Amino acid sequence: MTQHPEEPFVGGGTETPGEARRIEAPTLAEDLLLLLFQPGTGTIAGENTLFYTLAGAVLADLGLGDHVRTGSGRSGTARVEAVEDHPPSDDILRSAWDYLSAKPRSVQTVLAAIGPTLRSPLLERLIERGDIRRGTRKALGLFRMTVLEDGGSGRRSRLLADVRDVLVEGAEPQPRVAALTALLSGSGTLPQFHREIPWTSSVITRAKELEKGNWGAGAAAAAVARTVTATIVNNAVIAAATLPRN
């Protein structure tokens, strides 16, 4: 059952078109949204569960950066709390960290609270970076409509190649790529990538292992971040799986 936030979350949507701040590196949530973007149709895959998976990516980013830690509540539910005096510099990540700094909350509650405001500012960042662009097409030969198109930066292809190496070639992933791949798998959209990532039993097995946090020995140096991130990703997967697939 989806839990509702104990109090309203304010943040995640403060940037407006033309005002988005260029950051040093894309966030994990930006990478995930870029992968979910389908250049052939101009759509975003997994829209029904998008806010959970994007929220999971934000929390996973905070986990990888040691900005949050996880634990268990009285009922055994996974809880997440901000690491005191260690806020992230990114505006979107900082909004989520500020929300958590008030008190520890269940992962499911945080996902439901921060997720709905993320799509728009993350998309604007991708457009500002040139990864995606807005174009126009005629609908029914009469009306012009705004559509999303590939920006030509090549970054989506590079991200997809990293995911493919992990799922198809069996490459041992860096923690960030492992989290990204696990979230992509948890979104339920991997079958839509069958041209680049064959939907085979070995790929499915590998993806499910990543969802559980089994990232390989190479991630051992980031064991704490891996554990935190795996907890967050697993909860995001569970939350997304409970939503109706319309």
Side-chain angles (χ1 to χ4, degrees):
M1 181 178 295
T2 302
Q3 298 183 27
H4 297 285
E6 299 145 353
E7 58 194 64
F9 168 75
V10 180
T14 57
E15 295 173 351
T16 56
E19 296 177 349
R21 180 174 64 88
R22 188 173 297 276
I23 55 178
E24 288 295 324
T27 63
L28 191 63
E30 287 174 68
D31 286 349
L32 180 60
L33 184 58
L34 181 57
L35 276 177
L36 291 173
F37 168 64
Q38 305 295 296
T41 60
T43 59
I44 305 294
E47 285 278 14
N48 288 340
T49 60
L50 187 62
F51 79 88
Y52 271 122
T53 49
L54 292 180
V58 167
L59 285 183
D61 228 346
L62 291 172
L64 289 171
D66 296 321
H67 301 293
V68 300
R69 52 178 165 255
T70 56
S72 296
R74 293 180 180 178
S75 60
T77 58
R79 295 181 71 80
V80 61
E81 64 179 329
V83 174
E84 190 176 358
D85 298 326
H86 189 42
S89 58
D90 179 86
D91 291 343
I92 290 177
L93 299 184
R94 178 60 187 264
S95 292
W97 185 89
D98 286 342
Y99 177 66
L100 286 165
S101 65
K103 62 179 179 179
R105 304 174 191 271
S106 75
V107 174
Q108 297 282 338
T109 292
V110 180
L111 293 174
I114 71 175
T117 63
L118 291 173
R119 186 186 189 279
S120 179
L122 291 172
L123 180 59
E124 291 304 326
R125 286 187 176 190
L126 292 174
I127 291 171
E128 183 190 17
R129 289 180 184 281
D131 297 323
I132 295 175
R133 66 169 175 250
R134 286 192 175 94
T136 58
R137 292 179 188 168
K138 279 189 176 181
L140 303 176
L142 297 172
F143 308 103
R144 288 198 170 274
M145 58 183 295
T146 300
V147 294
L148 299 176
E149 300 174 344
D150 181 68
S153 69
R155 196 163 71 83
R156 184 181 183 277
S157 296
R158 293 192 293 273
L159 288 171
L160 193 55
D162 288 342
V163 172
R164 187 186 190 283
D165 284 346
V166 171
L167 291 178
V168 179
E169 306 300 332
E172 193 166 287
Q174 294 296 314
R176 183 181 176 88
V177 176
L180 180 63
T181 306
L183 286 161
L184 188 66
S185 173
S187 72
T189 61
L190 268 181
Q192 298 184 43
F193 295 84
H194 63 90
R195 291 183 179 177
E196 299 89 355
I197 303 174
W199 188 237
T200 63
S201 58
S202 60
V203 165
I204 295 170
T205 299
R206 177 69 166 143
K208 293 304 178 184
E209 286 297 307
L210 291 170
E211 287 180 22
K212 297 174 184 176
N214 299 329
W215 297 355
V224 175
R226 179 184 63 195
T227 300
V228 170
T229 306
T231 299
I232 291 165
V233 169
N234 190 252
N235 274 268
V237 169
I238 292 171
T242 61
L243 293 179
R245 309 276 176 154
N246 295 325

